[in-house]
Every structure is written in structure tokens, then in C-alpha cells.
């Protein structure tokens, strides 16, 4: 069975205030063309269809058009909600839409109920695990702890229990939206850390033939059976070196991954990160290849130059982001606050603040309180998205 694995469309998202709607439409044209040209048997969309819980109308219209085109192609599509989606909104009319071969899996209660497809070699059970916010599903799943590993393990127990009731030789596929250990993050994914832990081990998914992951925006192979497709477009300059693709997976008669091919997505405009003193950037002939790219420029001039953006856009007209990192020593008192905080988590910043104010860092009980406070804020945000408030 030939499966096309994609995720993280983030319909409605912009790139440094530049609308990506046309680029997203071009990707969906490419997706439908690939489905037809490569004779795909099923499309797997592993979450974050939209960029936010209440997407703009233009994004909803684009999604609606995509559903109609996939249905017209006669190819079953299995789609789950991600942490950016409102599961309830995305799942509206799921029962009706399913009649057209579009299977929306947004309700955690349905993780053990697969979409069953068949080919000449028998059945393939496809299980959709929408993004599972631990604090919201722990009790429902009977999970031991309110953490990602615990709730995903409980969900996979339901998957394996259902699979055990199916005829021998039934092949299995799981769609999930999670941060799995070994994956490499970028700057454009929303933090889903719970209690200081974001990642879950790949072993949580043992027992199934293929795991189609979403959430991380880089295409990645964690094991031959566990893969991220990545986002079809770059959503931050940290993705400048990404090759944006979908996975075309050939699931063999015995459940083996016979082939895994990366299908390149259309690139609306390349990304480039350039760094140096302004005069050097404007004069360096080697940077000519970036003159048509979306550019992030980091200026290292010791003193901020006059009109830097205007001067940069004369040579690089698509410059979107300007960063100042003056050439200074670590001891220089003018080293920026942002530079000192780079790469540190909210928890670490809060602990540093306590140490700065009090002269000593928080003890373990105080760290636990801080963990709880940050988790409460994140969970409240997730509840608001689920309820539509």
C-alpha cells in the first residue's frame, strides 16, 4: 500500500508578515498532483492543519477546497488535529465528511478505532492519535502521570488492544502529533513541555508497522518505521537549511517498509541567513546568490549603522528580519539581555531571576511551584483552544 505522509500545513500562517496563502495553495496543488501521478492509496496528515485555533476565513476556504479535491481523487485521507488546531472546530461534521473518504480524527476517545483500508494483501488499520494534551486526557485514559509519555503510552495500549482483535496479518499505521526523542526542533514549533519534559521515547510506538509523525518541522527519520514528514514550507529562518518534502511510503504485504521516498515540495522563495558588518554584506560578491531570497541579516557592527534596513534592501530586496549582535566580549556590560537569554527555557530564566533577586536560586519545592505555574498557563491556553474561548 502506497502512503503519502505529510503534516504541519499551518494554513493561515504568515512568514515575517508576508502572507503564505499562495504558497500553501501551491503546495496543495502539488499534493493533489502527487496523489494522482504516483497512484497513492492513502494520504496521512499528521496534525497542525491550521496555524491557530480560530483560523482566518481564507485558510478555511483553502482547506475546504483541498478536501474536495482529495475526495474527487478518490483517495482516502486520514487527518488528525495538532496542538495548533482546535480539535473541536476541525472535527465539525467529521461523520458527514467521512462519507467522502476524508477521515478526521480529532477526538481522543477514538484512538483505538482505526480507519481500515484493504488491498490485494489484506487489511491495513490506520489509527489516528490527535494531539493529546496530558492535563486534559490523563483521567480519561487512566494514565499514571500527567505527561506526554504516559498519555501516549495509554493511547498506544488502546491501539495494540484493538489490533490484537483483528485478523492475523493485519498491517498497522499510527498517526501522532508529538515531540519524539531524537527529533530535531526548529524555532517555529510551539512549546509543548510538561513538567520540564517535552519528548517521548520512540519505543512508545512499538508494535505497529509505520508511525507518521507531525509537530517537528524538519523531515526526519527516527527509525525506519518512525518518521516526521516536516512542514511543507519554512516557517522560520531556523529552517533555512531544511529540504521540505513529503514521505511516499510503500508498505509491503508483510508490513515491512519496502521503500521510503522523499517528494520535494514547491519552494516559494529560498531562505538565507547572512551575518557580518553592514558594509561587508553589501560588498561581498559571494552573497550575490541570496539577492532573490528571503533574508535574515545579523549585523555585527560595534555601533549600529544608520538606515540599515533601507541599505540592505537595496541589494537584498526581500530582507525580512534584521538582528543586531555587535562584536563585543562577554564581559562587555552592553551585551544585550536577549543574547544572555538565548537558548534558555522559561523555567531557567525564572530560576535565574530568583537567584538574582535573592542571592540564591530556588530550592526543589520552589522549582516545583515554578513548573506548576508554567504548566498551568500552557494548559489554560490549550483549554481555551479546545473550548473555543
Amino acid at each position: 500500500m502506497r502512503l503519502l505522509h505529510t503534516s504541519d500545513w499551518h494554513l493561515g500562517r504568515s512568514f515575517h508578515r508576508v502572507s503564505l496563502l499562495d504558497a500553501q495553495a501551491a503546495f496543495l496543488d502539488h499534493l493533489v498532483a502527487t496523489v494522482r501521478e504516483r497512484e497513492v492509496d492513502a494520504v496521512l496528515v499528521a496534525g497542525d492543519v491550521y496555524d491557530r485555533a480560530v483560523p482566518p476565513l481564507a485558510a478555511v476556504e483553502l482547506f475546504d477546497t483541498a478536501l474536495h479535491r482529495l475526495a474527487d481523487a478518490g483517495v482516502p485521507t486520514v487527518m488528525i488535529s495538532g496542538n495548533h488546531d482546535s480539535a473541536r472546530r476541525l472535527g465539525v461534521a467529521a461523520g458527514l465528511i467521512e462519507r467522502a473518504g476524508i477521515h478526521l480524527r480529532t477526538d481522543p476517545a477514538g484512538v483505538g478505532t482505526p480507519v481500515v483500508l484493504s488491498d490485494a494483501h489484506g487489511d491495513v488499520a490506520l489509527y489516528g492519535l490527535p494531539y493529546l494534551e496530558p492535563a486534559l486526557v490523563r483521567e480519561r485514559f487512566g494514565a499514571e502521570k500527567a505527561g506526554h509519555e504516559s498519555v501516549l503510552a495509554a493511547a498506544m495500549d488502546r491501539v495494540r488492544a484493538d489490533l490484537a482483535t483483528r485478523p492475523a496479518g493485519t498491517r498497522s499505521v499510527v498517526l501522532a502529533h508529538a515531540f519524539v526523542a531524537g527529533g530535531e526542533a526548529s524555532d517555529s514549533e510551539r512549546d509543548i513541555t510538561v513538567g520540564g519534559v517535552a519528548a517521548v521515547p520512540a519505543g512508545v510506538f512499538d508494535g505497529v508497522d509505520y508511525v507518521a509523525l507531525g509537530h517537528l518541522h524538519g523531515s526526519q527519520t527516527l527509525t525506519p518505521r518512525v518518521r516526521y514528514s516536516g512542514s511543507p514550507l519554512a516557517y522560520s529562518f531556523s529552517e533555512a537549511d531544511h529540504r521540505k518534502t513529503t514521505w511516499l511510503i510503500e508498505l509491503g504485504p508483510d508490513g515491512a517498509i519496502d521503500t521510503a521516498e522523499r517528494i520535494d515540495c514547491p519552494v516559494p522563495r529560498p531562505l538565507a541567513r547572512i551575518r557580518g558588518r553592514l558594509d561587508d554584506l553589501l560588498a561581498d560578491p559571494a552573497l550575490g546568490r541570496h539577492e532573490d531570497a528571503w533574508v535574515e541579516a545579523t549585523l555585527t557592527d560595534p555601533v549600529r549603522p544608520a538606515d540599515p534596513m533601507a541599505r540592505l534592501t537595496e541589494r537584498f530586496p526581500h530582507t525580512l528580519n534584521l538582528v543586531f549582535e555587535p562584536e563585543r566580549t562577554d564581559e562587555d556590560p552592553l551585551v544585550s539581555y536577549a543574547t544572555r537569554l538565548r537558548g534558555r527555557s522559561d523555567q531557567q530564566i525564572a530560576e535565574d531571576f530568583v537567584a538574582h533577586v535573592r542571592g540564591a536560586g530556588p530550592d526543589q519545592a520552589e522549582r516545583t511551584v515554578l513548573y506548576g505555574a508554567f504548566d498551568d498557563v500552557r494548559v489554560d491556553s490549550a483549554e481555551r483552544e479546545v473550548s473555543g474561548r
Side-chain angles (χ1 to χ4, degrees), residues 170-248:
T170 297
R171 289 159 289 169
S172 55
V173 174
V174 164
L175 291 77
H177 196 86
F179 189 167
V180 178
E184 183 177 344
S186 62
D187 292 343
S188 55
E189 299 108 4
R190 183 180 296 169
D191 183 23
I192 59 172
T193 299
V194 176
V197 179
V200 301
V204 164
F205 300 104
D206 285 352
V208 296
D209 295 313
Y210 183 68
V211 182
L213 293 174
H215 180 58
L216 299 185
H217 289 179
S219 179
Q220 301 172 61
T221 300
L222 305 186
T223 77
R225 296 184 182 276
V226 181
R227 300 172 187 261
Y228 282 100
S229 67
S231 60
L233 298 169
Y235 292 118
S236 73
F237 277 103
S238 67
E239 301 169 53
D241 295 330
H242 286 191
R243 175 187 166 198
K244 296 300 185 180
T245 62
T246 56
W247 281 111
L248 186 63

Side-chain angles (χ1 to χ4, degrees), residues 38-93:
R38 303 302 296 269
E39 298 181 343
V40 169
D41 296 306
V43 176
L44 314 179
V45 186
D48 281 353
V49 174
Y50 292 120
D51 189 55
R52 56 182 186 265
V54 184
L57 179 59
V60 177
E61 291 173 340
L62 185 57
F63 178 59
D64 179 65
T65 300
L67 293 188
H68 278 84
R69 295 177 68 187
L70 288 168
D72 288 345
V75 176
T77 298
V78 183
M79 186 176 296
I80 62 173
S81 51
N83 61 301
H84 279 250
D85 299 308
S86 166
R88 291 181 64 183
R89 283 191 172 88
L90 187 62
V92 168

